[in-house]
Amino acid sequence: IDPTLTVFYQAAIVGRSWFDFAPVETKKIFEQMVDDVLTGRLSSTAATTAANTALETLVKETYGE
């Protein structure tokens, strides 16, 4: 992993917040996660995993790897 991203990830965990570098895209990811659980399409664990994967992909697409 890129050293810059490592610092970013660690700071987000410690700060309990994070810089939303792509608010439109992240909003869609979180909305999809909630919708998947509320409609029963996915369990909360599966929806969280899918959202995590989508966020990781977004970070990689935005900042490269």
Side-chain angles (χ1 to χ4, degrees):
I1 291 182
D2 180 322
T4 304
L5 292 179
T6 301
V7 172
F8 173 75
Y9 292 141
Q10 291 173 348
I13 292 169
V14 171
R16 296 183 186 208
S17 65
W18 58 296
F19 170 68
D20 194 349
F21 59 93
V24 172
E25 292 84 354
T26 56
K27 182 177 185 228
K28 289 177 185 176
I29 291 169
F30 283 105
E31 285 176 343
Q32 184 65 54
M33 179 179 60
V34 171
D35 190 55
D36 286 341
V37 173
L38 291 178
T39 60
R41 271 192 300 265
L42 296 175
S43 67
S44 59
T45 301
T48 303
T49 299
N52 184 63
T53 300
L55 288 168
E56 286 179 347
T57 300
L58 182 59
V59 168
K60 288 176 186 175
E61 289 173 350
T62 303
Y63 296 105
E65 175 137 5

